[in-house]
Amino acid sequence: MYSEKFQKSLAAVEAAREKNIALEPDRMTAKQKEDLLAAFHPDYKQDEFETLKIGPNKGDKVPTELAGILQAHSRISADSVDLANPDYETDVLVIGGGGAGTAAAIEAHEAGADVMIVTKLRMGDANTMMAEGGIQAADKPNDSPAIHFVDAFGGGHFAAKKELLSKLVCDAPEAILWLSNLGVEFDKEEDGTMVTTHGGGTSRKRMHAAKDYSGAEIMRTLRDEVLNRDIRVVDFTSAIELILDENGNAAGAVLMNMETKELLIAKAKTVIIATGGAGRMHYQGFPTSNHYGATADGLVLGYRAGAKLLYAETLQYHPTGAAYPEQIFGALVTEKVRSLGAKLINANGEAFMHPLETRDVSAASIIRECSERDNGVDTGNGKGVWLDTPMIEKIGGEGTIMKRIPAMWRMFDKYGIDIRKEPILVYPTLHYQNGGLDIGADCMTTNVENLFVAGEAVGGIHGKNRLMGNSLLDIIVFGRSAGKNAAAKAKDITVGKLSLSHVDKFEKEIADAGIDTNVVSPKLLPSYTKNKEAF
């Protein structure tokens, strides 16, 4: 079923395998990385960005698709709902039922607050569930939070907010202990020592994992804890607008039942946005590894209420999304595959880059190989490069793949590809929202009181690029912190009169700026029908 050219390339990879295992490609210099990113990384394509005309970030550039929903009409008007008789009242309202939202809810509940989670799909339908490779924490004798900080700060182009990154790395060991005590089954040696591996851009082995089901295992545990605590969960219900009180403080949300379209009012003393990422916006036409509901809802809700964005122009394109077969086009091939020894190989059988460069550099290298150098493999649905997975068994011994990355084997085995014996084809896939809402170290937004944010909807934790394993870490560290701080603040709050005046104010800004649009937001769900209309 493969073309002659395809088979020739596959044969070249197999013939060069022993040589490529022994080969250690040079790491790039800082200047080489800068030039590579400027020429090939999607974040540097200026014609794919638009300058915002309204809102807290007026004058800033963001992806064109994001600008379209940030500067769109609300799904409601200020006078279309009755705020006087809330359907729900709670101390802490958590918007989002993924890892960050559930971690926040658990800690807020532990602090004695009445908590409610609202999520547009089911609790656990989130990018957390799909994370595979692991979670970073500097808890081994040869490591430290300071070294972890240096790795992450450099990997993020020295752009992270230092107070956020410091919190991330310093709270990491305790986050692992917290998860372990809740019941997460991390990989361990026979003596109980945690198994740790490298990730791209790390100088120490600090990646803790549960095989390559790490996110699913963490999400399973957090979901069970929420259920065991009888925390109120309202699923298949979206937050479509934040509610402020007469003082301009966050005070709840307008909710919409995803089946009946019924509007509901949730009043709260504090609000936590934990809505995750934006992969289903398909920026620049890229495929995505994200779950179905990842449509940047939290950014829209926060922005319309007056919260500022940070680094919204930066996205992470994971270098290894599945490029073949087309049924799994864009699905994540975990970086752990490379940390176990597999290398990226072009159509000629050449290892063209160090396998553990940072993700942005790796993605740009693959794009260059497939475009300028014309060394990509034609998959029939675009181009890709080889990820030589049989190297793993050559290096680590027979059985390594089934022991360490069984999910990867199963994903490809469904289509007749045994990754123990055959290399796989990969190409960058839209993976992570580096930018998001601007918060302080207490997780509260910098300019909307009582509005907290955790997880992928936050901007600034990772700078302009994220290292593997730091996202599962940030949902725990900042989810827990947001929950604790939101619960503490709720104890001293008297909510003023509820208001949606900011919705009408934003509508006036749209008109005054001369923005001609029929788009309403948040998008909620993508559409893959011919008319391309969102939910």
Side-chain angles (χ1 to χ4, degrees), residues 163-185:
E163 66 270 30
L164 300 186
L165 183 55
S166 293
K167 182 174 182 60
L168 180 77
V169 300
C170 290
D171 288 4
E174 206 274 327
I176 296 292
L177 181 62
W178 184 73
L179 288 172
S180 187
N181 288 339
L182 283 179
V184 172
E185 295 286 348

Side-chain angles (χ1 to χ4, degrees), residues 267-289:
K267 180 181 178 181
K269 295 178 180 178
T270 57
V271 178
I272 300 174
I273 288 177
T275 51
R280 292 290 167 168
M281 295 297 295
H282 292 291
Y283 298 121
Q284 299 187 36
F286 271 79
T288 186
S289 62

Side-chain angles (χ1 to χ4, degrees), residues 253-314:
V254 179
L255 312 177
M256 185 179 75
N257 182 295
M258 293 292 284
E259 182 179 11
T260 67
K261 310 300 186 294
E262 177 188 8
L263 297 181
L264 303 162
I265 303 302
K267 180 181 178 181
K269 295 178 180 178
T270 57
V271 178
I272 300 174
I273 288 177
T275 51
R280 292 290 167 168
M281 295 297 295
H282 292 291
Y283 298 121
Q284 299 187 36
F286 271 79
T288 186
S289 62
N290 284 189
H291 81 105
Y292 189 51
T295 50
D297 294 0
L299 274 57
V300 172
L301 297 176
Y303 195 72
R304 200 141 54 210
K308 194 171 184 180
L309 302 173
L310 182 64
Y311 301 145
E313 75 283 7
T314 65

Side-chain angles (χ1 to χ4, degrees), residues 222-524:
L222 296 175
R223 184 175 54 218
D224 284 354
E225 185 67 15
V226 167
L227 295 174
N228 289 340
R229 287 173 174 266
D230 289 325
I231 293 171
R232 189 166 29 165
V233 178
V234 182
D235 56 12
F236 295 112
T237 301
S238 290
I240 61 170
E241 205 66 66
L242 290 179
I243 297 171
L244 305 181
D245 69 9
E246 58 194 338
N247 304 308
N249 302 329
V254 179
L255 312 177
M256 185 179 75
N257 182 295
M258 293 292 284
E259 182 179 11
T260 67
K261 310 300 186 294
E262 177 188 8
L263 297 181
L264 303 162
I265 303 302
K267 180 181 178 181
K269 295 178 180 178
T270 57
V271 178
I272 300 174
I273 288 177
T275 51
R280 292 290 167 168
M281 295 297 295
H282 292 291
Y283 298 121
Q284 299 187 36
F286 271 79
T288 186
S289 62
N290 284 189
H291 81 105
Y292 189 51
T295 50
D297 294 0
L299 274 57
V300 172
L301 297 176
Y303 195 72
R304 200 141 54 210
K308 194 171 184 180
L309 302 173
L310 182 64
Y311 301 145
E313 75 283 7
T314 65
L315 285 303
Q316 183 166 90
Y317 297 82
H318 195 292
T320 55
Y324 180 87
E326 64 180 335
Q327 294 95 325
I328 53 171
F329 185 53
L332 181 64
V333 175
T334 174
E335 193 166 309
K336 192 173 182 180
V337 175
R338 284 177 287 142
S339 73
L340 291 173
K343 291 180 181 176
L344 291 160
I345 310 294
N346 66 22
N348 305 318
E350 301 161 337
F352 58 91
M353 58 165 285
H354 192 284
L356 288 178
E357 292 283 9
T358 56
R359 286 180 172 177
D360 53 351
V361 171
S362 299
S365 296
I366 293 170
I367 292 171
R368 177 177 63 182
E369 207 67 19
C370 291
S371 56
E372 181 184 81
R373 294 180 175 176
D374 197 25
N375 286 333
V377 181
D378 186 354
T379 68
N381 189 38
K383 289 192 174 182
V385 297
W386 297 105
L387 183 56
D388 198 2
T389 49
M391 285 185 173
I392 295 172
E393 304 263 297
K394 293 274 188 181
I395 295 168
E398 188 176 344
T400 301
I401 284 176
M402 295 307 293
K403 181 180 179 181
R404 304 295 297 278
I405 50 171
M408 287 293 94
W409 179 83
R410 290 188 179 96
M411 184 166 79
F412 284 92
D413 181 63
K414 289 179 182 178
Y415 304 100
I417 298 170
D418 186 343
I419 68 172
R420 297 171 297 184
K421 302 173 183 177
E422 303 171 63
I424 57 179
L425 284 162
V426 295
Y427 191 79
T429 185
L430 185 53
H431 183 59
Y432 189 81
Q433 179 178 267
N434 286 322
L437 295 162
D438 192 8
I439 63 169
D442 62 354
C443 297
M444 192 163 70
T445 58
T446 53
N447 50 348
V448 178
E449 194 76 9
N450 302 338
L451 180 61
F452 295 79
V453 192
E456 198 170 340
V458 174
I461 299 173
H462 309 286
K464 295 186 176 183
N465 179 60
R466 177 181 62 79
L467 299 188
M468 172 193 180
N470 280 346
S471 59
L472 281 180
L473 177 59
D474 88 49
I475 65 172
I476 302 304
V477 168
F478 289 91
R480 295 182 69 200
S481 179
K484 291 175 182 177
N485 292 325
K489 201 152 195 312
K491 292 178 180 178
D492 302 317
I493 288 174
T494 300
V495 178
K497 184 179 179 182
L498 301 187
S499 171
L500 286 171
S501 61
H502 63 284
V503 175
D504 285 347
K505 180 182 176 184
F506 197 83
E507 191 66 33
K508 185 176 185 302
E509 286 188 58
I510 292 173
D512 290 347
I515 298 171
D516 183 15
T517 179
N518 294 320
V519 177
V520 296
S521 65
K523 187 174 184 177
L524 302 184

